[in-house]
């Protein structure tokens, strides 16, 4: 008989494990079984290995009776339905089990009584309007701590009762021994045992009295502590409300102050006289003028309403305005049409040739401990970490790149603009619109396999079609080419660098995006900002975009500088704010853009600009007089039920829809992605591992061939999976030994950048159904 492997139970008695002998029948007698005591339930198994899958029996101690038969045997019964006759290996071991069982029974009875009484209690009052999520979490934590302490105190009280019970029984047994006379030597030993039992009783009584005092003290002070905690929490809530009110008052005062400080500018410059009239006599122009709030210091400028004469469209005013500001008549005509810019009859959308799907299977509710996987990934490149599909959304990174065309209409409107500055406004709005689909999208797209492609053919519906290809695996890079019948071409090559920082995940897109307009030959380029996923460890995941973008017209020198303000808890500004200024090659401002990257963008024509007073840290701000703002872009509403469909937009819901005639390397054909969309995540994980291992095998073979061609030693082949990050002679082999199917690396003559550009042939291959050159990647 072996001693149990579990340690002596604590007074809480939460969990106890060990071997006991259980009576089975008269033929087999007592059989050795593994018993587990947890949460008021006693379960047993044949072996420890069975704990994960097969339980032989369970008895609830809340309704059970525990009886001791002899020195090693005891019985647990719940009234006849279940009875366990058990035997321990020794009397000491039996007593350990009896103590643990009685503690667990007392706690189970107490929990059952609390559960029965909970239905009669009044619900907790909701927090006040000033109480945020932090206060609720703090209150919940305090309540949980108080409940735990109360439970421990109850366990202490139970131990108190048990010691008193067993001490009395020991004293009775010793008293009975004193009555038995077996000889002088025996009498001495009995007297010695009696003295020791008396000392034990005295010590136990002292411990019991100390525990009783502690219990009384804890009960007396617990209410006082709880009251103090509530008082502190209420005081913090009042302070937060006061700070919020002070911030609002400060904001109003700042507006009033900045509105007043621009008056001296208008006195020194006749072109700014409108500020005084707009401030003092706004009854006639309130419907046309709009005052823009002063922006945070990093924006570097302030916008105020322009002179009302700029809004009047009489011939004399137009000629006077042209002479005063140098703006030609054609530009004014563009201004009138910039907000609406109606489509011409030739550009009206055609009825779709096929009905696209509007739903996908709901996302399964799989639980997964994110921290258990991510804690080993801190500081590593995310693209090298094998992740289960539980973190993914059922589309690939190539499809996410294609989602940039969600608001292709902005480029259609830009293609018809007569003014390059007006066109730049639409291109800038298109740049911002590509982030609107990410606001709720915390899922990670599938990393495309090398050679994987994705086509988005909307030629008959929307007049454009695009093609993406994964042109590099380490580092991962994708090339994208889109062309429209409305006269624009979009191309980009994006490589993602991502780092897990512990509390948040940073995703830094590398590479550039270019847009070329056929009619004007304007060539624009820009880069993407940094995406940050917050609350990786604790809390609800949320996404923020931050950084600056310069959209440059390389033909004219015009530029739009966009600033994505990072979210700050202490900022008085709106969340996800984007501001921008459109300037010509001389640096003169023509338009001011403002809005948010998840909702809409507006623009205003600049009539006058002057250097204003110094802001914080001595930075000088520019005051722009602008016309009334007009809407440039607005986000489309999400489809119904989007929260259960990964927050996909209407376009994203159609990206993984099966389509005939696509290449065998198309993302729609990827099996693990299709299994995940269907809700079969376990199968998707297995298939994902198979595809990744197949890709690694193909890569190793390709590298061996490259080594032989370059006459490199064979021993360098070991560990080539990640050796591209070192200065190994294999570095150039790893990056250059794969040739893309539909793209080729060239240097752009306009921007001077080297990137993968579409070399043609895909759509012709699709028309003929000739995919012989496509590799077998699935």
């Amino acid at each position: 008989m072996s001693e149990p492997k579990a340690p002596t139970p604590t007074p809480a008695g939460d969990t106890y494990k060990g071997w006991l002998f259980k009576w089975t029948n008269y033929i087999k007698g007592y059989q050795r079984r593994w018993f587990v005591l947890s949460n008021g339930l006693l379960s047993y198994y044949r072996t420890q290995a069975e704990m994960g899958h097969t339980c032989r029996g369970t008895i609830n101690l809340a309704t059970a009776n525990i009886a001791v038969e002899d020195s090693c045997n005891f019985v647990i019964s719940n009234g006849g339905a279940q009875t366990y006759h058990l035997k321990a290996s020794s009397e000491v071991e039996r007593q350990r089990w009896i103590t643990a069982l009685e503690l667990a029974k007392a706690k189970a009875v107490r929990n059952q009584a609390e559960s029965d009484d909970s239905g009669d209690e009044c619900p907790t009052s909701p927090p006040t309007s000033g109480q945020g999520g932090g206060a609720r979490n703090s209150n919940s934590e305090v309540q949980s701590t108080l409940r735990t302490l109360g439970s421990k105190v109850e366990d202490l009280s139970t131990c108190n009762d048990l010691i008193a019970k067993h001490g009395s029984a020991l004293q009775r047994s010793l008293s009975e021994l004193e009555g038995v006379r077996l000889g002088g030597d025996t009498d001495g030993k009995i007297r010695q045992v009696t003295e020791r039992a008396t000392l034990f009783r005295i010590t136990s009584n002292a411990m019991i009295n100390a525990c009783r005092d502690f219990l009384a003290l804890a009960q007396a002070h617990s209410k006082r502590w709880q009251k103090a905690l509530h008082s502190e929490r209420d005081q913090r809530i009042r302070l937060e409300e006061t700070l919020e009110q002070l911030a609002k008052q400060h904001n109003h005062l700042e507006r009033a102050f900045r509105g007043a400080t621009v008056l001296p500018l208008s006195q020194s410059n006749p072109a700014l006289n409108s500020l005084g009239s707009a401030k003092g006599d706004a009854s006639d122009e309130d419907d046309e003028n709009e005052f823009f709030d002063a922006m945070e210091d990093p924006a570097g400028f302030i916008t105020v309403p322009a002179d009302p004469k700029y809004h009047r469209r009489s011939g004399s005013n137009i000629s006077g305005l042209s002479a005063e500001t140098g703006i030609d008549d054609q530009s004014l005509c563009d201004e009138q049409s910039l907000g609406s810019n109606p489509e011409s009859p030739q550009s009206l959308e055609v009825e779709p040739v096929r009905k696209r799907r509007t739903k996908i299977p709901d996302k399964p509710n799989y639980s997964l401990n994110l921290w258990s996987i991510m804690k080993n990934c801190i500081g590593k490149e995310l693209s090298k970490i094998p992740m289960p599909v539980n973190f993914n959304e059922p589309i690939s990174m190539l499809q996410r790149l294609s989602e940039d065309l969600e608001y292709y209409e902005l480029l259609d409107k830009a293609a018809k603009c007569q003014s390059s500055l007006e066109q730049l406004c639409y291109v800038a709005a298109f740049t911002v619109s590509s982030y609107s689909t990410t606001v709720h999208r915390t899922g990670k797209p599938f990393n495309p396999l090398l050679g994987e492609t994705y086509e988005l053919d909307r030629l008959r519906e929307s007049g454009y079609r695009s093609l993406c290809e994964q042109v590099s695996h380490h580092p991962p890079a994708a090339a994208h080419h889109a062309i429209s019948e409305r006269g624009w071409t979009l191309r980009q090559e994006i490589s993602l660098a991502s780092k897990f920082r512990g509390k948040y995940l940073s995703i830094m897109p590398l590479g550039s995006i270019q847009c070329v307009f056929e009619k004007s030959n304007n060539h624009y380029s820009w880069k993407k900002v940094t995406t940050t996923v917050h609350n990786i460890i604790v809390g609800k995941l949320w996404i923020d975009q931050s950084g600056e973008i310069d959209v440059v017209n390389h033909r004219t020198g015009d530029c739009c500088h966009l600033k994505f303000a990072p979210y700050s808890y202490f900022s008085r500004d709106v969340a996800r704010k984007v501001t921008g200024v459109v300037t010509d090659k001389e640096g003169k401002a023509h338009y001011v853009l403002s809005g948010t990257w998840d909702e809409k963008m507006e623009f205003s024509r600049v009539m006058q600009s002057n250097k204003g007073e110094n802001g914080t840290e001595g930075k000088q701000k520019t005051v722009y007089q602008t016309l009334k703002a007009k809407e440039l872009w607005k986000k489309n509403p999400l489809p119904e039920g989007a929260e259960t469909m990964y927050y996909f937009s209407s376009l994203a819901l159609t990206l993984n829809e099966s389509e005939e005639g696509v290449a065998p390397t198309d993302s729609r054909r990827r099996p693990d992605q299709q299994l995940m969309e269907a809700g079969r995540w376990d199968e998707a994980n297995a298939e994902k591992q198979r595809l990744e291992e197949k890709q690694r095998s193909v890569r190793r073979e390709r590298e061996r061939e490259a080594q032989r061609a370059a006459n490199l030693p064979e021993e360098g082949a070991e560990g080539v999976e990640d050796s591209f990050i070192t200065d190994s002679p294999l570095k150039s082999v790893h990056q250059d030994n794969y040739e893309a199917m539909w793209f080729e690396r060239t240097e752009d003559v306009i921007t001077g950048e080297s990137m993968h550009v579409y070399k043609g042939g895909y759509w012709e291959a699709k028309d003929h159904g000739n995919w012989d050159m496509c590799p077998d990647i699935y």
Side-chain angles (χ1 to χ4, degrees):
M1 298 182 185
S2 61
E3 291 291 327
K5 299 181 180 179
T8 303
T10 60
D14 292 333
T15 303
Y16 192 72
K17 303 176 183 178
W19 292 101
L20 288 173
F21 292 89
K22 179 181 177 297
W23 175 264
T24 55
N25 52 51
Y26 285 99
I27 297 177
K28 295 184 178 180
Y30 283 97
Q31 296 292 321
R32 193 165 178 258
R33 298 289 183 261
W34 178 258
F35 280 81
V36 177
L37 173 61
S38 178
N39 297 326
L41 299 176
L42 180 65
S43 307
Y44 74 93
Y45 311 85
R46 285 187 177 178
T47 62
Q48 297 183 47
E50 284 189 346
M51 289 180 60
H53 52 85
T54 305
C55 179
R56 301 292 175 174
T58 301
I59 189 169
N60 188 352
L61 295 180
T63 57
N65 294 320
I66 304 171
V68 179
E69 290 187 335
D70 55 28
S71 60
C72 295
N73 292 19
F74 58 100
V75 179
I76 303 175
S77 175
N78 62 357
Q82 287 178 295
T83 301
Y84 293 169
H85 293 268
L86 306 175
K87 182 168 65 173
S89 58
S90 64
E91 184 175 357
V92 174
E93 184 56 34
R94 185 217 64 182
Q95 190 56 43
R96 289 178 180 175
W97 274 102
I98 292 297
T99 302
L101 290 168
E102 289 181 342
L103 283 172
K105 177 181 178 180
K107 179 174 286 188
V109 171
R110 186 167 62 250
N111 290 341
Q112 186 176 16
E114 291 176 357
S115 176
D116 294 339
D117 295 340
S118 62
D120 300 330
E121 296 178 357
C122 296
T124 305
S125 59
T128 61
S129 59
Q131 183 176 356
R136 289 194 294 269
N137 293 338
S138 176
N139 188 30
S140 175
E141 183 179 355
V142 169
Q143 295 296 334
S144 176
T145 303
L146 290 175
R147 284 195 297 269
T148 303
L149 289 175
S151 174
K152 299 301 180 183
V153 170
E154 291 292 339
D155 292 341
L156 196 59
S157 178
T158 304
C159 289
N160 184 0
D161 297 338
L162 289 175
I163 289 176
K165 175 183 175 183
H166 295 315
S168 299
L170 176 62
Q171 196 67 42
R172 284 196 304 271
S173 299
L174 292 174
S175 299
E176 293 173 358
L177 284 176
E178 289 180 352
V180 180
R181 300 296 179 183
L182 299 177
D185 190 26
T186 306
D187 291 343
K189 290 185 177 181
I190 291 176
R191 196 162 37 251
Q192 184 180 8
V193 172
T194 303
E195 291 175 356
R196 292 179 178 176
T198 302
L199 290 175
F200 169 76
R201 179 173 56 82
I202 293 172
T203 305
S204 299
N205 287 336
M207 193 274 290
I208 290 171
N209 292 333
C211 291
R212 186 180 296 112
D213 294 341
F214 169 76
L215 181 62
L217 186 64
Q219 290 174 342
H221 285 276
S222 63
K223 293 183 179 179
R224 191 192 319 173
W225 292 338
Q226 190 169 1
K227 183 177 179 181
L229 285 173
H230 283 297
S231 176
E232 290 291 335
R233 190 185 73 250
D234 294 340
Q235 185 176 1
R236 187 185 67 181
I237 293 172
R238 288 194 296 271
L239 285 174
E240 289 177 353
E241 292 175 347
T242 304
L243 285 173
E244 185 178 358
Q245 293 175 0
L246 288 174
K248 291 179 179 179
Q249 292 174 5
H250 178 76
N251 193 20
H252 292 318
L253 289 173
E254 189 178 50
R255 292 182 186 178
F257 171 75
R258 290 184 174 176
T261 54
V262 295
L263 288 176
L265 294 176
S266 63
Q267 295 170 1
S268 61
N269 189 343
L272 298 179
N273 287 334
S274 60
L275 292 176
S277 60
K279 188 74 176 178
D281 186 14
S283 59
D284 296 332
E285 302 296 335
D286 281 346
D287 57 335
E288 293 186 352
N289 289 342
E290 181 173 343
F291 186 87
F292 290 85
D293 293 343
M295 300 183 182
E296 296 292 335
D297 287 329
F301 62 85
I302 304 172
T303 56
V304 296
D307 195 300
K309 69 182 180 180
Y310 293 144
H311 296 276
R312 302 189 182 102
R313 298 303 180 187
S314 63
S316 59
N317 281 339
I318 292 178
S319 61
L321 176 62
S322 301
E324 183 179 356
T325 63
I327 302 175
D328 61 331
D329 297 342
Q330 179 61 46
S331 179
L332 288 173
C333 295
D334 294 341
E335 159 61 29
Q336 290 177 320
S337 63
L338 190 52
S340 55
N341 199 358
E343 300 281 347
S344 61
Q346 292 81 3
S347 63
L348 291 176
E349 292 188 357
V350 183
E351 285 295 322
V353 296
R354 57 174 291 184
K355 184 176 178 61
R356 302 287 178 179
R357 67 181 184 180
T358 58
K359 285 188 67 65
I360 60 173
D362 290 348
K363 177 181 179 182
N365 187 18
Y366 280 92
S367 61
L368 186 68
N369 187 355
L370 177 65
W371 178 240
S372 66
I373 295 177
M374 299 297 287
K375 64 182 179 182
N376 298 320
C377 308
I378 297 177
K380 295 183 180 179
E381 175 67 34
L382 194 64
S383 61
K384 298 182 188 177
I385 301 169
M387 301 287 253
V389 300
N390 305 58
F391 297 125
N392 287 23
E393 55 183 14
I395 61 174
S396 72
M397 189 62 201
L398 302 181
Q399 292 165 309
R400 282 292 289 267
L401 278 181
S402 301
E403 276 193 79
D404 286 357
L405 297 171
E406 174 94 17
Y407 299 96
Y408 69 93
E409 301 96 337
L410 291 170
L411 297 182
D412 290 347
K413 293 178 181 180
K416 296 194 296 293
C417 291
Q418 299 297 322
S419 167
S420 62
L421 293 169
E422 175 187 337
Q423 188 178 72
L424 183 52
C425 291
Y426 281 105
V427 175
F430 174 80
T431 302
V432 176
S433 70
S434 63
Y435 297 99
S436 64
T437 61
T438 66
V439 61
H440 299 297
R441 301 272 289 279
T442 56
K444 172 183 174 292
F446 279 78
N447 289 333
L449 303 174
L450 187 61
E452 186 173 332
T453 61
Y454 181 75
E455 69 163 69
L456 183 63
D457 191 350
R458 294 292 190 270
L459 200 60
R460 299 185 64 182
E461 295 127 307
S462 306
Y464 73 88
R465 60 185 180 185
S466 77
L467 175 67
C468 291
E469 181 181 354
Q470 186 76 359
V471 296
S472 174
H473 185 61
H474 281 307
H480 181 208
H481 178 85
I483 188 169
S484 171
E485 292 180 334
R486 315 287 167 79
W488 55 263
T489 300
L490 181 75
R491 54 175 177 259
Q492 58 181 322
E493 180 178 352
I494 299 297
S495 177
L496 296 180
S498 51
K499 289 290 185 181
F500 176 52
R501 309 289 185 180
K503 292 183 179 180
Y504 62 91
L505 173 70
S506 296
I507 303 171
M508 292 78 69
L510 308 176
S512 67
I513 308 170
Q514 299 183 9
C515 186
V516 181
F517 292 92
E518 180 180 348
K519 183 178 178 181
S520 61
N521 203 29
N522 286 331
H523 191 130
Y524 298 90
S525 71
W526 64 92
K527 300 180 184 294
K528 288 182 174 287
V529 295
T530 298
T531 299
T532 307
V533 184
H534 293 271
N535 289 348
I536 295 293
I537 301 176
V538 179
K540 184 178 179 181
L541 294 176
W542 60 278
I543 290 179
D544 193 23
Q545 314 285 351
S546 59
E548 299 181 6
I549 296 178
D550 284 324
V551 185
V552 180
N553 185 341
H554 294 275
R555 189 184 69 84
T556 64
D558 303 335
C559 177
C560 177
H561 181 76
L562 294 170
K563 179 177 176 60
F564 289 66
Y567 174 79
S568 174
Y569 179 79
F570 302 100
S571 175
R572 302 185 303 274
D573 223 333
V574 296
R576 309 182 184 97
K577 186 170 184 178
V578 181
T579 57
V581 179
V582 175
T583 58
D584 57 23
K585 62 181 179 180
E586 283 82 20
K588 181 181 179 181
H590 291 266
Y591 292 98
V592 171
L593 279 68
S594 63
T596 58
W597 55 263
D598 67 322
E599 285 295 336
K600 65 178 181 178
M601 288 294 293
E602 296 178 338
F603 68 97
S604 306
R605 177 181 285 278
V606 176
M607 294 292 105
Q608 282 287 342
S609 63
N610 285 274
K611 294 295 183 182
E613 77 282 358
N614 290 342
T616 59
E617 301 180 359
K619 295 180 180 179
Q620 193 174 41
K621 290 189 175 183
T622 302
V623 178
Y624 292 123
Q625 290 187 64
T626 63
L627 299 182
K628 185 177 180 180
K630 296 182 180 179
E631 187 175 271
L632 189 60
W633 159 77
K634 186 175 182 179
K635 179 186 176 182
N636 297 328
L638 290 175
E640 184 178 355
E643 63 277 1
T644 64
M645 299 185 294
Y646 309 89
Y647 286 98
F648 279 179
S649 64
S650 299
L651 175 63
L653 289 175
T654 67
L655 294 180
N656 213 33
E657 187 176 12
S658 60
E659 193 165 326
E660 295 182 0
V662 298
T665 54
D666 197 273
S667 298
R668 298 177 180 87
R669 300 182 182 273
R670 183 164 176 165
D672 53 349
Q673 193 170 292
Q674 292 291 343
L675 288 169
M676 182 194 177
E677 184 183 279
R680 298 153 63 182
W681 285 15
D682 293 336
E683 299 174 55
N685 274 315
E687 189 65 20
K688 181 173 181 287
Q689 293 180 5
R690 182 190 69 81
L691 292 176
E692 290 172 349
E693 180 56 37
K694 180 178 180 180
Q695 179 175 240
R696 284 190 286 267
S697 177
V698 172
R699 183 185 180 199
R700 286 192 292 267
E701 179 61 30
R702 186 170 59 250
E703 288 166 354
R704 280 193 291 269
E705 293 178 0
Q707 291 161 15
R708 287 192 292 268
N711 294 321
L712 293 175
E714 287 294 330
E715 58 269 16
E718 291 297 328
V720 296
E721 180 68 23
D722 294 323
S723 59
F724 74 95
I725 62 175
T726 68
D727 292 329
S728 164
L730 297 180
K731 180 175 180 180
S732 60
V733 176
H734 294 164
Q735 294 182 340
D736 299 334
N737 63 354
Y738 175 77
E739 183 177 353
M741 291 179 294
W742 313 109
F743 290 80
E744 61 182 355
R745 179 171 290 279
T746 60
E747 183 173 326
D748 190 274
V749 295
I750 301 295
T751 64
E753 295 179 339
S754 177
M755 63 184 301
H756 280 85
V757 178
Y758 177 62
K759 62 183 178 181
Y762 178 86
W763 303 106
E764 293 77 8
K766 180 180 179 181
D767 292 339
H768 295 91
N770 182 15
W771 303 115
D772 294 340
M773 65 181 300
C774 293
D776 179 18
I777 62 174
Y778 299 141

